[in-house]
Amino acid sequence: MRDAEVQSKGLLKSCESKWRVATDLAVLGRAFNIGVNLLASLSGGLLPPPGRRRKAQGSPMDKNTDPELMPPPSDVDDAPRMSPDPVAGSAVSQELEEDPVSLSTPLETGFGTPSELSPRIEEQELSENVSLPAEETNRPELGSGEAMEAVSEEPAPEDEEYTAWNYSFSQLPQFLSGSWSEFSTQPENFLKGCKWAPDGSCILTCSADNILRIYNLPPELYNEGEQLEYAEMAPVLRMVEGDTIYDYCWYSLMSSIQPDTSYVASSSRENPIHIWDAFTGELRASFRAYNHLDELTAAHSLCFSPDGSQLFCGFNRTVRVFSTARPGRDCEVRATFAKKQGQSGIISCIAFSPAQPLYACGSYSRSLGLYAWDDGSPLTLLGGHQGGITHLCFHPDGNRFFSGARKDAELLCWDVRQPGHPLWSLSREVTTNQRIYFDLDPTGRFLVSGSTSGAVSVWDISGAGHEGKPEPVLSFLPQKDCTNGVSLHPGLPLLATASGQRVFPEPTDSGDEGKQEVDIPLLSMRHIHLECQLQLWWCGGSPDTSIPDAHQGEKGQGRKEGGGG
């Protein structure tokens, strides 16, 4: 009898130990599947074509809209790579949806340039999987070996990319959507440019009411096959500054799939430089600059370094460099004018070369300067504009850059290898002190610029050289008001334009001297057209066949139907 009890107890212990081993293997398999899915989503690309994208999940501020662009959906052939357990497969998405703030870097430690997601995600996933109820763990599931087998059957290609679309200005751009009601609640609430996010997931605007607004891509772009009427766009985030906004920019390494890189920097009068969270709209950090009297001074221009480790800020005769890992007042001061030599005036714009270790500074004193990135030593000083420099932009090759100025009808092209004189100039209408933006497409072929009259001009600069300047290939009028902002999407043939300007009443006609007109004001604004709005335009285009893609034809058809190009 005792021998039977001992044998039964031994059998129970062996069964219990085997059950524990099986449970541990199941937990490890589930964690492995989560890691595989996460890596697959990160390597799948940031911006799939319209019609093959899913709508982003709700944000903490507005559950219906979110500036985050979801990872591209897997095709039918990629089904074996998905997790066999719905609870484990949705662990990451639930965490991102319920508490995205926990993923962002705390204010005390600044915001860095992470190369991978926070380890807190993996820890929470493992803790959630270990604490599953008993009935969940008793379900039949794949072990770690089976999971590895399923994944190895169809490995994810490392170099898989989505079809790249080229801009085409052979015909007039097609209007898709825009935002105008948002800027009509206050008088003269004109925009001050617009800037696409580096990953193309959303667009940032600035207006005269001192509010930064973030818009998602129109949801109609996500539909496949059917033509839908585009509704008016509404901002998903509003970030209010205290005074007139001087400049604003995206974090250079911004990616919506990594919330701790989604930041916006802004500078306003008599305020420090603010770093805003592009997911929640909250203030995350501040950089303060002080003058020789220990008084707070505001930056007139902002630009992140290409590696995201530094924030360059333009001041009067000075560029201050802050470390993005350490918010506060500690900075490196680089004087641009010393001993009556150098670049004087307020540094109004800064741009980095994508291929050379240097950056360019524009000044309101009508001068351009090139400086070494590492120590800020001056390389050359250029001049040629009739007004203060308002915008700079480097060509993707890193050797040429373009400059524009206020009250100056020329866009100048420079070559850093021969900086003595500009290569050529382009004509545009700029009759006010307003900053009129211009932009280059990702391939560096097309240059697009706004104007005071409202006309948007496009030049093909691919064949331009020392022989002659390029001629405009297209010019169209989005509205009758000034077009002060243009921005070309980094992945789609989408052109964003921003309009509006400060207006002043004009004297009314006095009429005949012998007649006296009653109740006619001396100044009137009846002949002034106020059109303050953000607009999106589809600029045609066809898929780039140079990029290998097994599903290129299918994606190309969806893009044409979604965009109407």
Side-chain angles (χ1 to χ4, degrees), residues 55-68 214-217 219 233-237 278-279:
K55 189 174 181 181
Q57 296 185 9
S59 68
M61 189 170 184
D62 186 355
K63 288 297 181 181
N64 296 325
T65 53
D66 191 308
E68 178 184 4
I214 293 181
Y215 293 82
N216 282 339
L217 284 170
M233 300 169 60
V236 294
L237 283 180
F279 269 83

Side-chain angles (χ1 to χ4, degrees), residues 299-419:
H300 289 266
S301 56
L302 302 172
C303 185
F304 284 99
S305 60
D307 61 359
S309 62
Q310 296 172 311
L311 175 61
F312 284 66
C313 310
F315 296 85
N316 185 22
R317 301 180 179 182
T318 304
V319 172
R320 287 181 167 88
V321 183
F322 293 89
S323 173
T324 56
R326 187 177 183 182
R329 62 178 297 170
D330 295 337
C331 64
E332 176 189 356
V333 180
R334 300 181 177 182
T336 61
F337 187 85
K339 298 180 181 180
K340 298 183 180 181
Q341 293 182 352
Q343 187 176 15
S344 61
I346 295 175
I347 304 301
S348 56
C349 49
I350 305 173
F352 276 85
S353 170
Q356 307 290 341
L358 56 87
Y359 61 93
C361 292
S363 170
Y364 282 140
S365 64
R366 300 177 294 181
S367 62
L368 289 164
L370 294 178
Y371 301 89
W373 179 1
D374 53 355
D375 58 358
S377 58
L379 303 177
T380 185
L381 189 64
L382 308 172
H385 280 285
Q386 303 301 318
I389 314 298
T390 55
H391 188 50
L392 293 172
C393 183
F394 267 91
H395 192 274
D397 62 12
N399 296 322
R400 291 176 291 170
F401 70 97
F402 304 85
S403 60
R406 58 188 184 184
K407 288 188 176 181
D408 192 336
E410 285 187 321
L411 279 176
L412 299 182
C413 176
W414 307 84
D415 195 326
V416 297
R417 298 165 295 186
Q418 299 177 355

Side-chain angles (χ1 to χ4, degrees), residues 62-397:
D62 186 355
K63 288 297 181 181
N64 296 325
T65 53
D66 191 308
E68 178 184 4
L69 186 63
M70 293 298 295
S74 302
D75 294 332
V76 179
D77 298 337
D78 298 334
R81 290 185 293 175
M82 300 301 293
S83 171
D85 193 339
V87 178
S90 61
V92 178
S93 62
Q94 288 177 359
E95 180 177 350
L96 290 175
E97 181 178 7
E98 294 175 0
D99 190 18
V101 180
S102 63
L103 300 181
S104 58
T105 308
L107 180 62
E108 292 77 13
T109 59
F111 60 102
T113 58
S115 59
E116 57 185 11
L117 290 180
S118 172
R120 288 176 291 176
I121 303 178
E122 300 177 1
E123 294 175 4
Q124 185 171 351
E125 289 168 357
L126 291 176
S127 63
E128 289 178 356
N129 293 330
V130 171
S131 60
L132 287 175
E135 55 267 23
E136 295 287 343
T137 56
N138 291 334
R139 294 181 305 172
E141 54 189 3
L142 293 178
S144 59
E146 296 176 357
M148 294 177 60
E149 225 175 73
V151 173
S152 61
E153 288 179 2
E154 189 168 338
E158 296 180 357
D159 299 333
E160 181 180 359
E161 296 183 4
Y162 285 89
T163 305
W165 286 76
N166 294 326
Y167 284 87
S168 175
F169 294 98
S170 59
Q171 57 185 357
L172 289 177
Q174 178 186 357
F175 174 76
L176 295 184
S177 181
S179 176
W180 45 89
S181 301
E182 182 73 18
F183 307 101
S184 61
T185 56
Q186 297 183 12
E188 296 188 21
N189 189 19
F190 57 92
L191 280 82
K192 298 180 179 180
C194 55
K195 299 179 181 180
W196 285 108
D199 67 347
S201 59
C202 48
I203 188 168
L204 174 67
T205 66
C206 172
S207 53
D209 57 1
N210 306 327
I211 297 179
L212 297 168
R213 295 173 173 87
I214 293 181
Y215 293 82
N216 282 339
L217 284 170
E220 290 80 5
L221 279 175
Y222 294 85
N223 292 292
E224 182 177 4
E226 54 180 335
Q227 281 277 51
L228 295 179
E229 182 179 355
Y230 284 74
E232 181 180 358
M233 300 169 60
V236 294
L237 283 180
R238 296 179 182 89
M239 296 157 285
V240 182
E241 273 287 5
D243 211 324
T244 302
I245 297 177
Y246 289 148
D247 199 8
Y248 60 101
C249 65
W250 285 99
Y251 183 52
S252 55
L253 300 181
M254 181 269 180
S255 175
S256 292
I257 61 174
Q258 291 182 297
D260 49 358
T261 64
S262 298
Y263 290 98
V264 172
S266 65
S267 175
S268 60
R269 183 170 58 186
E270 298 181 355
N271 282 288
I273 302 164
H274 291 152
I275 305 298
W276 304 92
D277 194 315
F279 269 83
T280 64
E282 297 178 354
L283 182 64
R284 306 299 296 175
S286 295
F287 296 93
R288 293 175 170 84
Y290 295 87
N291 57 17
H292 62 286
L293 299 176
D294 204 32
E295 298 173 340
L296 181 68
T297 178
H300 289 266
S301 56
L302 302 172
C303 185
F304 284 99
S305 60
D307 61 359
S309 62
Q310 296 172 311
L311 175 61
F312 284 66
C313 310
F315 296 85
N316 185 22
R317 301 180 179 182
T318 304
V319 172
R320 287 181 167 88
V321 183
F322 293 89
S323 173
T324 56
R326 187 177 183 182
R329 62 178 297 170
D330 295 337
C331 64
E332 176 189 356
V333 180
R334 300 181 177 182
T336 61
F337 187 85
K339 298 180 181 180
K340 298 183 180 181
Q341 293 182 352
Q343 187 176 15
S344 61
I346 295 175
I347 304 301
S348 56
C349 49
I350 305 173
F352 276 85
S353 170
Q356 307 290 341
L358 56 87
Y359 61 93
C361 292
S363 170
Y364 282 140
S365 64
R366 300 177 294 181
S367 62
L368 289 164
L370 294 178
Y371 301 89
W373 179 1
D374 53 355
D375 58 358
S377 58
L379 303 177
T380 185
L381 189 64
L382 308 172
H385 280 285
Q386 303 301 318
I389 314 298
T390 55
H391 188 50
L392 293 172
C393 183
F394 267 91
H395 192 274
D397 62 12

